[in-house]
Amino acid sequence: AQKVTQAQTEISVVEKEDVTLDCVYETRDTTYYLFWYKQPPSGELVFLIRRNSFDEQNEISGRYSWNFQKSTSSFNFTITASQVVDSAVYFCALSEGDSGGSNYKLTFGKGTLLTVNP
Amino acid sequence: DAGVIQSPRHEVTEMGQEVTLRCKPISGHDYLFWYRQTMMRGLELLIYFNNNVPIDDSGMPEDRFSAKMPNASFSTLKIQPSEPRDSAVYFCASSDGLAGTTDTQYFGPGTRLTVL
């Protein structure tokens, strides 16, 4: 069974600080997909990134970066120079396989509440 | 392009009443998903459809819950009769599922259901 653990329930930082959100996953599949979503106070779920298990390259998008390490089953998310607008709950999610059927199920972590204070 | 549309955004009802939540997926997307979010259980997949056909409903909590997708642009999630423990935010999501891979699911704004 697949599982996603976000051990940090809440993180509070001051604006302009860098912050890393941890995500550890468990899966038996060799092919899987990892995602990060953002849920701001308004409540919607916003897609941030999708990464497949064969692509371990780190990715940077503006102030956001992701570190995927299969050796430690981790897919961590770093926000550089955080801003108040980054305050949200961030979810890591996992989907197994690509053979159709249940591979489309997303298993979400419990989420990390990030508060960026001015 | 419009994103996933859900209605109503908020629903308050009394225990025992029937509740119907509605979803319009992104045009061209073949997959539609219904999720429920609660503080206790987080985000849970209830059911998903491919080309209007239910594929996996193992997450539907009990027979009081039912979902339909009569066409490619509309789906409903019905709770009858509703109970206070059904209070949650219900999300609809869609993806285009190209080439048999797990494509990105795009979520609607959610419906906040309160059952009194």
Side-chain angles (χ1 to χ4, degrees):
Chain A
Q2 54 191 29
K3 182 179 178 182
V4 176
T5 302
Q6 294 181 255
Q8 304 150 308
T9 305
E10 295 187 32
I11 300 176
S12 183
V13 299
V14 177
E15 208 169 17
K16 296 184 183 178
E17 285 185 15
D18 298 348
V19 57
T20 295
L21 310 181
D22 297 334
C23 173
V24 174
Y25 61 91
E26 295 177 27
T27 177
R28 295 179 182 176
D29 275 17
T30 55
T31 301
Y32 52 90
Y33 298 81
L34 295 162
F35 301 79
W36 276 94
Y37 286 85
K38 173 182 179 180
Q39 187 172 38
S42 52
E44 71 272 25
L45 279 161
V46 179
F47 164 73
L48 295 179
I49 190 171
R50 166 181 177 263
R51 177 55 51 88
N52 75 55
S53 53
F54 298 109
D55 182 3
E56 287 193 73
Q57 273 195 323
N58 291 333
E59 180 152 342
I60 298 174
S61 176
R63 295 184 298 105
Y64 295 172
S65 62
W66 290 269
N67 184 348
F68 177 27
Q69 292 195 344
K70 290 177 75 170
S71 60
T72 56
S73 297
S74 64
F75 186 44
N76 297 337
F77 173 31
T78 297
I79 301 175
T80 302
S82 59
Q83 299 176 2
V84 173
V85 294
D86 296 327
S87 297
V89 180
Y90 290 86
F91 291 95
C92 182
L94 165 70
S95 183
E96 288 178 330
D98 61 358
S99 57
S102 64
N103 62 292
Y104 292 95
K105 284 186 174 181
L106 277 180
T107 297
F108 284 85
K110 295 295 186 184
T112 298
L113 172 62
L114 172 65
T115 302
V116 181
N117 299 297
Chain B
D1 285 341
V4 176
I5 299 171
Q6 291 187 247
S7 65
R9 294 293 309 277
H10 302 273
E11 178 80 31
V12 180
T13 190
E14 292 189 347
M15 183 174 63
Q17 297 298 306
E18 176 181 303
V19 175
T20 299
L21 311 182
R22 298 171 176 79
C23 175
K24 177 180 169 56
I26 293 172
S27 178
H29 281 189
D30 296 331
Y31 288 83
L32 183 139
F33 307 80
W34 282 101
Y35 289 86
R36 179 172 67 175
Q37 184 178 34
T38 61
M39 288 296 293
M40 290 296 294
R41 301 175 66 89
L43 275 156
E44 304 173 280
L45 177 66
L46 300 177
I47 185 172
Y48 79 91
F49 295 82
N50 177 216
N51 291 323
N52 314 335
V53 176
I55 302 301
D56 187 341
D57 65 354
S58 59
M60 297 285 263
E62 47 197 281
D63 292 346
R64 297 184 297 105
F65 286 70
S66 63
K68 294 182 180 179
M69 192 164 185
N71 57 62
S73 59
F74 183 66
S75 176
T76 59
L77 178 67
K78 183 180 293 186
I79 308 172
Q80 180 185 20
S82 58
E83 297 182 3
R85 59 193 168 118
D86 301 331
S87 297
V89 180
Y90 291 82
F91 286 100
C92 177
S94 70
S95 71
D96 56 20
L98 292 176
T101 65
T102 301
D103 214 330
T104 299
Q105 295 180 24
Y106 294 93
F107 285 76
T111 295
R112 182 174 296 276
L113 173 65
T114 303
V115 183
L116 303 174

